[in-house]
Amino acid sequence: MTTIAQRLAAVRDRINTAAQAGRRPADPILLVAVSKTQPVTAIEEAIAAGQTAFGESYIQEALPKIAALSAYSLIWHFIGPIQSNKTADIAAQFAWVHSVERLKIAQRLNDQRPAHLPALNVCIQVNISREDSKSGIAPTEVLALAHAITRLPRLRLRGLMTVPKPDADPVQQREPFRLLHQLLMQMNTQGLSLDTLSMGMSDDLEAAIREGATIIRIGTAIFGQRT
Ligand SMILES: *Cc1c(COP(=O)(O)O)cnc(C)c1O
């Protein structure tokens, strides 16, 4: 049986190999372990193996786990769809939110971010390739939302996030990531200073790293198949 520690080590190897192939350093690539549906005991195994950044998609599921693990110093990333009645908990419990796609949600996260905490790091989720998906905003609408978010003092806009349409071909996988990187660079010529590309999951992390990912979000390859 493969342990979580062994799977984590294998993922770190994949990160290093992909970074080397792309002639970029692996250190600045942040590995977020996506622990949605996983029990606290599995997260503790990952912590014992040195993991500190974790991603969750469902707030009701995340809150008790965050409370149970409060003795550790962990960095929690919210990566799921955001309903407006859940923004207060997200603003209070997470350090990062990757899935902002509406100004109304950004405004609420800003207003509800507790004063004793630093500004909340946010990424805008972009629908870069999956025409059929309801998640993420159109690339043409990203710049306006980004400028509006930069006016919110309790948020720190860091960059862009995407979940592309699954594609088994490692060459094809790179295209949406290349487009997201291009979009980020365009935005940085328009007065923004974004440093984060949150892209790459268990099946396409190599492609994402080759196209400049700075955060990869990995669930299955660390914790095994979700039930
Ligand atoms: C579940 C999820 C992941 C992790 O996916 P795996 O394929 O299990 O690595 C990453 N990002 C988001 C937004 C997710 O919902």
Side-chain angles (χ1 to χ4, degrees), residues 39-212:
V40 166
T41 49
I43 301 175
E44 282 183 311
E45 280 184 60
I47 296 169
Q51 183 64 29
T52 53
F54 292 91
E56 289 282 340
S57 298
Y58 314 104
I59 190 69
Q60 293 94 327
E61 182 202 335
L63 292 177
K65 292 201 275 185
I66 292 173
L69 293 163
S70 62
Y72 302 98
S73 73
L74 305 177
I75 314 273
W76 291 98
H77 294 246
F78 193 81
I79 63 172
I82 307 173
Q83 293 166 316
S84 42
N85 62 340
K86 303 288 160 42
T87 50
D89 284 328
I90 295 170
Q93 301 297 330
F94 286 80
W96 282 76
V97 178
H98 294 231
S99 42
V100 172
E101 47 179 54
R102 286 191 288 151
L103 184 56
K104 181 190 167 198
I105 294 293
Q107 183 76 57
R108 289 178 65 90
L109 290 170
N110 177 77
D111 297 347
Q112 294 168 331
R113 180 66 168 171
H116 69 278
L117 294 175
L120 181 63
N121 295 293
V122 303
C123 292
I124 296 173
Q125 184 169 354
V126 185
N127 186 352
I128 204 87
S129 75
R130 38 194 321 173
E131 296 74 18
D132 54 334
S133 164
K134 286 185 259 33
S135 291
I137 69 167
T140 49
E141 292 167 20
V142 173
L143 190 65
L145 177 58
H147 280 302
I149 291 176
T150 58
R151 286 182 218 109
L152 301 174
R154 300 294 294 139
L155 300 187
R156 183 171 170 211
L157 181 65
R158 299 296 298 270
L160 304 177
M161 182 274 236
T162 199
V163 182
K165 193 166 66 195
D167 194 320
D169 176 2
V171 177
Q172 295 295 325
Q173 281 178 353
R174 286 176 66 163
E175 181 63 10
F177 297 142
R178 190 179 63 76
L179 291 174
L180 196 73
H181 193 170
Q182 240 173 33
L183 180 59
L184 184 101
M185 289 190 303
Q186 265 171 27
M187 293 168 75
N188 280 345
T189 67
Q190 309 277 325
L192 292 152
S193 50
L194 308 179
D195 62 7
T196 300
L197 280 169
S198 170
M199 57 189 200
M201 312 189 343
S202 293
D203 291 333
D204 57 15
L205 74 89
E206 284 84 0
I209 287 174
R210 292 300 295 274
E211 297 299 342

